Amino acid sequence: MLHEQLGISSIAGLAQACGEGRVAVLAGFGEKTQEKLLAGIRNREAYARRHLWWDAFSVAEPILQGLRALPQVRRAEHAGSLRRKLETVGDLDFLVAAEEWAPVVDWFITRPEVEEVTAKGETKASVRFAGGLQADLRIVPPAQFVFALHHFTGAKEHNVQLRQRALARGLSLSEWGLVPSGGEGTAKAKAGALLGTAGAAAGTIRTEAELFAALDLHEIPPELREGLGEIEAAEQDALPRLVEADDIRGVFHNHTTASDGRNTLGEMVAAAQALGWEYLGIADHSKASFQANGLNEARLRAQVAEIAALNQSRRGQIRVLAGVECDILPDGRLDLDEEALRALDYVVVSVHSAFSQSEAEMTARIIRAIEHPCATMLGHLTGRLLLKREGYPVDVAKVIDAAVANRVAIELNACPQRLDMDWRHWQAAAAKGLVCVINPDAHDTAGLEYYRAGVAAARKGWLTKEQVLNTRSLAEVRHYLQACRR
Ligand code: DGT
Ligand code: CA
Ligand code: CA
Ligand code: ZN
């Protein structure tokens, strides 16, 4: 209809027609559809400029290692949102300390993955890779490295606040150094001096810990540098000791070929064992997710028996826990009968349908599921797919309160395109007593590795090891799961 009646043949043409109100008047379209189309086009433009952190990191890591291996390079680090582990990344930033620059620039712009060199100078270069991802390289003299690293790690808000703190101490902080403020041309003018000999303050500061210490602060991990209270916390020695990837001892939300996974139970268990975990939870879909071949009560019972037999035959090895990812039906009831749910070690409850409910309906629906006596953890709270689809509307604060009240954990779904519940909610939620569980939602053996993206997001959310359920031992986890049964 759009094509035949309005002659639309491109996205730009569609956007224009929507803007002029010509789509809304077509039979069967209306204002609402026109608005949705416009919003979709806007999202598409915004999304096209960013990339999933996981994808960006996998491109960046070999480049960083290559830079470090160059004979001219003294130090090399990621910077920007990549280093801060933001869920999406606009471009890659690399920072290098070297005394000789040209060979480093040449190496960078001649990587086989480079499609276009968009800028090239004496000490910097920018390139574009296939798929549109861009990268900036900056080279500085070794004495300047730590200041440039801090500056180009950002975020901007953090940098602004830290610069103000420096000024209050009579110091001027910039990518060039930390020097007494006031007087003639502070930061950049002194750069000339820094290049060869390093300024007075700069000469003694070689690490970020020393840079923060010079401003009477504890070292702030890059993940926390978003200008969201981290400087105040660092001042009061109130920074959290952040959870680390090595703290994870198992995960709960994973799929097998029984539903829509691509690897068998045995293959998933072997892969989890290779990761050194103590336990692996299996949570295949339930029957309402028919497109994912979800399990009904009978098939679930059979899987529980299979898992019991597996544990029996593999004594002393990784423990397999029997769970399910049970659909939350549109009215908030669970998709499986209580008897089947009670036979499990735990129950993940998730929304996979009726996304267009109002915020009030969706919130009530999820809270009803949380109040089910068998619910153990809430899966991917908003259903968002980063750079693809916004989450459905839901009152996050109300859901958090209900989860705390009912002793239900909320998942930090570690799948790189979900990272849901969002890191921005975790600090306040954990302070209310909410338990976090980092789940890769793996659909194959490689997907188990996603737990690392989940840990990165948890760190951005200020979470400690103690606040994450799956840092606990198998014995502690089993105790927890029994204790939260109602
Ligand atoms: P992104 O790339 O959009 O995901 O975000 P970032 O944080 O990586 O931003 P980017 O690549 O533009 O710049 C890297 C860092 O440089 C940024 O986090 C803070 C620092 N910076 C401070 N002031 C400025 C400025 O005026 N322009 C730019 N481009 N960067 C600045
Ligand atoms: Ca960047
Ligand atoms: Ca950049
Ligand atoms: Zn799911």
Side-chain angles (χ1 to χ4, degrees), residues 253 255 285 325 350 352 380 418 441:
H253 177 181
H255 299 268
H285 286 286
E325 184 183 17
S350 305
H352 293 116
H380 46 70
R418 291 189 183 271
D441 197 355

mmCIF file with all atom_site columns, all heavy atoms in Angstrom, residues 253 255 285 325 350 352 380 418 441, ligand 4:
data_model
loop_
_atom_site.group_PDB
_atom_site.id
_atom_site.type_symbol
_atom_site.label_atom_id
_atom_site.label_alt_id
_atom_site.label_comp_id
_atom_site.label_asym_id
_atom_site.label_entity_id
_atom_site.label_seq_id
_atom_site.pdbx_PDB_ins_code
_atom_site.Cartn_x
_atom_site.Cartn_y
_atom_site.Cartn_z
_atom_site.occupancy
_atom_site.B_iso_or_equiv
_atom_site.pdbx_formal_charge
_atom_site.auth_seq_id
_atom_site.auth_comp_id
_atom_site.auth_asym_id
_atom_site.auth_atom_id
_atom_site.pdbx_PDB_model_num
ATOM   1  N  N   . HIS A 1 253 ? 20.657 -19.941 33.962 1.00 0.00 ? 253 HIS A N   1
ATOM   2  C  CA  . HIS A 1 253 ? 19.700 -19.826 32.844 1.00 0.00 ? 253 HIS A CA  1
ATOM   3  C  C   . HIS A 1 253 ? 20.403 -20.180 31.548 1.00 0.00 ? 253 HIS A C   1
ATOM   4  O  O   . HIS A 1 253 ? 21.120 -19.356 30.984 1.00 0.00 ? 253 HIS A O   1
ATOM   5  C  CB  . HIS A 1 253 ? 19.144 -18.394 32.837 1.00 0.00 ? 253 HIS A CB  1
ATOM   6  C  CG  . HIS A 1 253 ? 18.201 -18.096 31.712 1.00 0.00 ? 253 HIS A CG  1
ATOM   7  N  ND1 . HIS A 1 253 ? 17.614 -16.861 31.537 1.00 0.00 ? 253 HIS A ND1 1
ATOM   8  C  CD2 . HIS A 1 253 ? 17.729 -18.873 30.703 1.00 0.00 ? 253 HIS A CD2 1
ATOM   9  C  CE1 . HIS A 1 253 ? 16.840 -16.890 30.467 1.00 0.00 ? 253 HIS A CE1 1
ATOM   10 N  NE2 . HIS A 1 253 ? 16.901 -18.097 29.939 1.00 0.00 ? 253 HIS A NE2 1
ATOM   11 N  N   . HIS A 1 255 ? 19.996 -22.972 27.882 1.00 0.00 ? 255 HIS A N   1
ATOM   12 C  CA  . HIS A 1 255 ? 19.099 -23.808 27.085 1.00 0.00 ? 255 HIS A CA  1
ATOM   13 C  C   . HIS A 1 255 ? 19.850 -24.978 26.460 1.00 0.00 ? 255 HIS A C   1
ATOM   14 O  O   . HIS A 1 255 ? 21.068 -24.933 26.297 1.00 0.00 ? 255 HIS A O   1
ATOM   15 C  CB  . HIS A 1 255 ? 18.435 -22.952 26.003 1.00 0.00 ? 255 HIS A CB  1
ATOM   16 C  CG  . HIS A 1 255 ? 17.611 -21.842 26.581 1.00 0.00 ? 255 HIS A CG  1
ATOM   17 N  ND1 . HIS A 1 255 ? 16.264 -21.968 26.842 1.00 0.00 ? 255 HIS A ND1 1
ATOM   18 C  CD2 . HIS A 1 255 ? 17.945 -20.590 26.994 1.00 0.00 ? 255 HIS A CD2 1
ATOM   19 C  CE1 . HIS A 1 255 ? 15.804 -20.839 27.370 1.00 0.00 ? 255 HIS A CE1 1
ATOM   20 N  NE2 . HIS A 1 255 ? 16.816 -19.980 27.475 1.00 0.00 ? 255 HIS A NE2 1
ATOM   21 N  N   . HIS A 1 285 ? 12.966 -23.571 27.810 1.00 0.00 ? 285 HIS A N   1
ATOM   22 C  CA  . HIS A 1 285 ? 11.680 -22.871 27.718 1.00 0.00 ? 285 HIS A CA  1
ATOM   23 C  C   . HIS A 1 285 ? 10.524 -23.768 28.134 1.00 0.00 ? 285 HIS A C   1
ATOM   24 O  O   . HIS A 1 285 ? 10.621 -24.991 28.085 1.00 0.00 ? 285 HIS A O   1
ATOM   25 C  CB  . HIS A 1 285 ? 11.445 -22.403 26.284 1.00 0.00 ? 285 HIS A CB  1
ATOM   26 C  CG  . HIS A 1 285 ? 12.285 -21.222 25.909 1.00 0.00 ? 285 HIS A CG  1
ATOM   27 N  ND1 . HIS A 1 285 ? 12.021 -19.956 26.378 1.00 0.00 ? 285 HIS A ND1 1
ATOM   28 C  CD2 . HIS A 1 285 ? 13.377 -21.122 25.118 1.00 0.00 ? 285 HIS A CD2 1
ATOM   29 C  CE1 . HIS A 1 285 ? 12.926 -19.120 25.879 1.00 0.00 ? 285 HIS A CE1 1
ATOM   30 N  NE2 . HIS A 1 285 ? 13.759 -19.803 25.117 1.00 0.00 ? 285 HIS A NE2 1
ATOM   31 N  N   . GLU A 1 325 ? 12.915 -22.139 32.369 1.00 0.00 ? 325 GLU A N   1
ATOM   32 C  CA  . GLU A 1 325 ? 12.558 -20.752 32.118 1.00 0.00 ? 325 GLU A CA  1
ATOM   33 C  C   . GLU A 1 325 ? 11.076 -20.765 31.795 1.00 0.00 ? 325 GLU A C   1
ATOM   34 O  O   . GLU A 1 325 ? 10.677 -21.018 30.655 1.00 0.00 ? 325 GLU A O   1
ATOM   35 C  CB  . GLU A 1 325 ? 13.354 -20.132 30.959 1.00 0.00 ? 325 GLU A CB  1
ATOM   36 C  CG  . GLU A 1 325 ? 13.015 -18.645 30.797 1.00 0.00 ? 325 GLU A CG  1
ATOM   37 C  CD  . GLU A 1 325 ? 13.705 -17.977 29.612 1.00 0.00 ? 325 GLU A CD  1
ATOM   38 O  OE1 . GLU A 1 325 ? 14.189 -18.679 28.710 1.00 0.00 ? 325 GLU A OE1 1
ATOM   39 O  OE2 . GLU A 1 325 ? 13.722 -16.724 29.581 1.00 0.00 ? 325 GLU A OE2 1
ATOM   40 N  N   . SER A 1 350 ? 9.927  -15.622 33.042 1.00 0.00 ? 350 SER A N   1
ATOM   41 C  CA  . SER A 1 350 ? 10.239 -14.619 32.020 1.00 0.00 ? 350 SER A CA  1
ATOM   42 C  C   . SER A 1 350 ? 9.018  -14.317 31.164 1.00 0.00 ? 350 SER A C   1
ATOM   43 O  O   . SER A 1 350 ? 8.169  -15.180 30.948 1.00 0.00 ? 350 SER A O   1
ATOM   44 C  CB  . SER A 1 350 ? 11.339 -15.107 31.067 1.00 0.00 ? 350 SER A CB  1
ATOM   45 O  OG  . SER A 1 350 ? 12.498 -15.489 31.748 1.00 0.00 ? 350 SER A OG  1
ATOM   46 N  N   . HIS A 1 352 ? 7.682  -13.598 27.459 1.00 0.00 ? 352 HIS A N   1
ATOM   47 C  CA  . HIS A 1 352 ? 8.053  -13.803 26.055 1.00 0.00 ? 352 HIS A CA  1
ATOM   48 C  C   . HIS A 1 352 ? 6.915  -13.472 25.104 1.00 0.00 ? 352 HIS A C   1
ATOM   49 O  O   . HIS A 1 352 ? 7.015  -13.740 23.904 1.00 0.00 ? 352 HIS A O   1
ATOM   50 C  CB  . HIS A 1 352 ? 8.467  -15.258 25.806 1.00 0.00 ? 352 HIS A CB  1
ATOM   51 C  CG  . HIS A 1 352 ? 9.743  -15.660 26.491 1.00 0.00 ? 352 HIS A CG  1
ATOM   52 N  ND1 . HIS A 1 352 ? 9.793  -16.616 27.471 1.00 0.00 ? 352 HIS A ND1 1
ATOM   53 C  CD2 . HIS A 1 352 ? 11.011 -15.208 26.338 1.00 0.00 ? 352 HIS A CD2 1
ATOM   54 C  CE1 . HIS A 1 352 ? 11.038 -16.757 27.885 1.00 0.00 ? 352 HIS A CE1 1
ATOM   55 N  NE2 . HIS A 1 352 ? 11.802 -15.908 27.223 1.00 0.00 ? 352 HIS A NE2 1
ATOM   56 N  N   . HIS A 1 380 ? 15.447 -11.705 32.231 1.00 0.00 ? 380 HIS A N   1
ATOM   57 C  CA  . HIS A 1 380 ? 15.460 -10.491 31.391 1.00 0.00 ? 380 HIS A CA  1
ATOM   58 C  C   . HIS A 1 380 ? 14.252 -9.560  31.585 1.00 0.00 ? 380 HIS A C   1
ATOM   59 O  O   . HIS A 1 380 ? 13.311 -9.557  30.805 1.00 0.00 ? 380 HIS A O   1
ATOM   60 C  CB  . HIS A 1 380 ? 15.651 -10.830 29.919 1.00 0.00 ? 380 HIS A CB  1
ATOM   61 C  CG  . HIS A 1 380 ? 14.800 -11.952 29.386 1.00 0.00 ? 380 HIS A CG  1
ATOM   62 N  ND1 . HIS A 1 380 ? 13.446 -11.856 29.217 1.00 0.00 ? 380 HIS A ND1 1
ATOM   63 C  CD2 . HIS A 1 380 ? 15.144 -13.189 28.974 1.00 0.00 ? 380 HIS A CD2 1
ATOM   64 C  CE1 . HIS A 1 380 ? 12.994 -12.991 28.704 1.00 0.00 ? 380 HIS A CE1 1
ATOM   65 N  NE2 . HIS A 1 380 ? 14.001 -13.814 28.555 1.00 0.00 ? 380 HIS A NE2 1
ATOM   66 N  N   . ARG A 1 418 ? 21.306 -8.243  25.522 1.00 0.00 ? 418 ARG A N   1
ATOM   67 C  CA  . ARG A 1 418 ? 20.275 -7.982  26.532 1.00 0.00 ? 418 ARG A CA  1
ATOM   68 C  C   . ARG A 1 418 ? 20.833 -7.119  27.678 1.00 0.00 ? 418 ARG A C   1
ATOM   69 O  O   . ARG A 1 418 ? 20.416 -6.010  27.882 1.00 0.00 ? 418 ARG A O   1
ATOM   70 C  CB  . ARG A 1 418 ? 19.715 -9.294  27.072 1.00 0.00 ? 418 ARG A CB  1
ATOM   71 C  CG  . ARG A 1 418 ? 18.885 -10.079 26.046 1.00 0.00 ? 418 ARG A CG  1
ATOM   72 C  CD  . ARG A 1 418 ? 18.182 -11.244 26.751 1.00 0.00 ? 418 ARG A CD  1
ATOM   73 N  NE  . ARG A 1 418 ? 17.423 -12.098 25.853 1.00 0.00 ? 418 ARG A NE  1
ATOM   74 C  CZ  . ARG A 1 418 ? 16.149 -11.905 25.516 1.00 0.00 ? 418 ARG A CZ  1
ATOM   75 N  NH1 . ARG A 1 418 ? 15.486 -10.879 26.015 1.00 0.00 ? 418 ARG A NH1 1
ATOM   76 N  NH2 . ARG A 1 418 ? 15.529 -12.744 24.716 1.00 0.00 ? 418 ARG A NH2 1
ATOM   77 N  N   . ASP A 1 441 ? 22.181 -17.014 29.668 1.00 0.00 ? 441 ASP A N   1
ATOM   78 C  CA  . ASP A 1 441 ? 21.089 -17.344 28.750 1.00 0.00 ? 441 ASP A CA  1
ATOM   79 C  C   . ASP A 1 441 ? 21.668 -18.029 27.507 1.00 0.00 ? 441 ASP A C   1
ATOM   80 O  O   . ASP A 1 441 ? 21.296 -17.728 26.366 1.00 0.00 ? 441 ASP A O   1
ATOM   81 C  CB  . ASP A 1 441 ? 20.340 -16.055 28.361 1.00 0.00 ? 441 ASP A CB  1
ATOM   82 C  CG  . ASP A 1 441 ? 18.966 -16.319 27.752 1.00 0.00 ? 441 ASP A CG  1
ATOM   83 O  OD1 . ASP A 1 441 ? 18.624 -17.501 27.551 1.00 0.00 ? 441 ASP A OD1 1
ATOM   84 O  OD2 . ASP A 1 441 ? 18.258 -15.333 27.459 1.00 0.00 ? 441 ASP A OD2 1
HETATM 85 ZN ZN  . ZN  B 2 .   ? 13.993 -15.859 27.773 1.00 0.00 ? 4   ZN  B ZN  1
#
